Amino acid sequence: MDTFEQKLVALRHAFHKSPEIGFALDRTKARVADALRDLGLEVHEGAGVVGILRAGTGNRAIGLRADMDALPIQERGTQDHVSEIEGAMHACGHDGHMTMLLGAAETLAKDGGFDGTVVFLFQPNEEHGLGAQAMIAEGVLERFPVEEVYAIHNLPGAPVGQVSTRKGLICNSESLFEIRIKGQGGHASMPHVGVDALTVGSEMVLALQTVIARKMAPGSGAVLSVTEFLTDGQRNVLPGEAVLKGEARARAPEDRIALETHMRRLVEGIAAAHGVKAEMSFETEFIETINASGPVEAVYRAAESAGLAVVKERPSMSFSEDFAHFAAAVPGCFLLMGNGEDGAHGQPLHSDTYDFNDALLTQGAAFWASLVRDRLKTERTDP
């Protein structure tokens, strides 16, 4: 293991040992900002951390994003670098994403090989779909305009370093819904006196299953799941109120809108049939992630130049990604990079025994450097 790789491994382990959640990333942001300053980059701090690296006289700029937040999960791994924070863990590999991007910053700061500006975007609160919007609301894309933006996510179960992505949709949207039913509670021995909110809610749960089966086109890939059913009932008390919670995912904005429309019709109709009130909220936290053609082709070239295996036009992913907001504002590409197939590296994302693969750190840094040199070379003939 050479000195550069050792440095990246030590940095990744430091991130992993001290995970932070959401926007409360004081230690993490300080470590990122210090590392960028040590490399001589211009650093700006706000909701996230932005590093600016310029070379040559070119006026073009691209953005590279890494997410910084961890998850509220108690780690059960056996590595020497397990989380030292109770109830918090880097179970999605954001510790590795940060380290790969910092490795790329070091490579590019020392060796150059590009003409223009690289904007390193270290984003908070990806897991709740709020961090990209917070940075955009602060004006990050106006203060540091970029022509294109890119992001990497590791993929357990795929060979180490294998790059895969596709043009168009790469990740689904995620919308959270909540349905509040207000009936009339009463004694369990006299159900006819009131309107049991639990029975009404149960009817809604079953009816909502028909939205995907009978209202959406086959092959739409839409998903609707009721995940919580809460009432104020007791052993001999019929509930007067019930709350249904869940999520809906879609591959296209029109399908997301259709899901909400069909759900509202069912909820309103069933509530009216039982003579109760029902209110429904439908909040989209993650919009669909759409990759632009030019950036995707650039990723293919950069991966091949870095000696990485490439899977082109891979199937889209069912999970959601906060990077979608950056890609909606600027043409971009979200790509997957294999984390390995065995042991902790092959465990599912968000598993309490998952771990980012250190073997991926130098490969990811090399890919980022290759991409920058592809997009910010002096002469470019591709679109």
Side-chain angles (χ1 to χ4, degrees):
M1 187 181 294
D2 62 26
T3 303
F4 179 60
E5 184 177 3
Q6 290 174 337
K7 180 178 180 179
L8 294 187
V9 169
L11 180 59
R12 205 279 291 185
H13 289 186
F15 281 130
H16 193 89
K17 288 180 179 180
S18 57
E20 296 176 295
I21 296 170
F23 287 109
L25 305 175
D26 292 346
R27 293 189 307 275
T28 303
K29 289 169 63 177
R31 182 173 278 124
V32 168
D34 288 346
L36 293 171
R37 289 192 183 98
D38 288 345
L39 295 172
L41 272 68
E42 176 185 326
V43 177
H44 302 266
E45 297 184 60
V49 179
V50 179
I52 308 296
L53 179 63
R54 299 180 179 89
T57 59
N59 59 5
R60 300 188 59 250
I62 65 171
L64 310 180
R65 189 222 69 170
D67 31 20
M68 299 188 289
D69 57 320
L71 287 153
I73 295 173
Q74 181 63 44
E75 185 165 11
R76 291 197 302 113
T78 58
Q79 301 87 354
D80 292 338
H81 54 271
V82 294
S83 172
E84 296 175 349
I85 308 300
E86 188 75 18
M89 174 191 173
H90 270 296
C92 206
H94 297 182
D95 51 340
H97 300 169
M98 288 184 282
T99 305
M100 289 191 297
L101 194 54
L102 288 170
E106 179 170 343
T107 299
L108 292 166
K110 290 182 176 180
D111 301 335
F114 67 98
D115 184 22
T117 301
V118 186
V119 179
F120 296 91
L121 301 162
F122 291 86
Q123 179 202 309
N125 211 340
E126 188 281 326
E127 295 293 351
H128 294 114
L130 301 173
Q133 294 180 83
M135 293 185 75
I136 292 170
E138 286 182 340
V140 69
L141 296 179
E142 287 75 30
R143 295 178 63 196
F144 316 107
V146 295
E147 295 180 12
E148 300 168 351
V149 65
Y150 298 83
I152 291 174
H153 204 294
N154 75 95
L155 183 62
V160 179
Q162 181 191 76
V163 169
S164 61
T165 190
R166 71 192 312 272
K167 298 171 187 174
L169 178 105
I170 183 68
C171 294
N172 286 8
S173 64
E174 180 186 12
S175 302
L176 303 182
F177 65 83
E178 182 173 298
I179 301 166
R180 291 190 169 273
I181 304 162
K182 296 183 179 180
Q184 176 60 60
H187 201 288
S189 67
M190 296 180 287
H192 60 289
V193 176
V195 181
D196 173 11
L198 191 153
T199 300
V200 178
S202 297
E203 188 172 332
M204 288 182 183
V205 171
L206 294 176
L208 288 171
Q209 307 311 305
T210 68
V211 171
I212 303 297
R214 291 293 178 266
K215 302 297 183 183
M216 307 299 293
S220 70
V223 179
L224 195 165
S225 299
V226 179
T227 58
E228 294 183 67
F229 196 147
L230 313 171
T231 79
D232 61 351
Q234 301 293 329
R235 185 176 68 90
N236 60 350
V237 179
L238 293 173
E241 296 187 4
V243 178
L244 306 180
K245 296 183 181 181
E247 68 162 35
R249 295 181 184 255
R251 293 179 178 175
E254 56 269 27
D255 287 343
R256 170 164 38 94
I257 294 169
L259 280 170
E260 180 180 4
T261 299
H262 294 311
M263 291 175 66
R264 288 190 182 279
R265 286 176 180 168
L266 282 174
V267 168
E268 291 169 2
I270 293 171
H274 288 279
V276 302
K277 294 181 178 180
E279 299 176 351
M280 177 179 145
S281 64
F282 188 96
E283 301 292 337
T284 298
E285 293 197 338
F286 297 84
I287 61 174
E288 299 80 10
T289 307
I290 309 296
N291 282 344
S293 178
V296 170
E297 291 294 338
V299 164
Y300 294 157
R301 289 194 303 272
E304 290 170 349
S305 178
L308 302 175
V310 179
V311 175
K312 299 182 179 181
E313 299 305 320
R314 67 154 299 122
S316 61
M317 307 300 294
S318 60
F319 62 66
S320 303
E321 171 54 57
D322 194 25
F323 177 74
H325 295 286
F326 283 120
V330 180
C333 179
F334 178 80
L335 62 126
L336 290 306
M337 189 170 282
N339 194 58
E341 302 166 275
D342 302 317
H345 307 141
Q347 292 298 304
L349 298 171
H350 295 202
S351 165
D352 58 8
T353 55
Y354 159 89
D355 192 32
F356 187 88
N357 195 334
D358 288 333
L360 191 56
L361 295 173
T362 54
Q363 294 184 44
F367 164 81
W368 276 136
S370 176
L371 178 67
V372 168
R373 289 163 180 157
D374 179 276
R375 300 316 275 165
L376 297 181
K377 54 192 174 188
T378 304
E379 295 182 2
R380 205 178 85 202
T381 59
D382 59 289

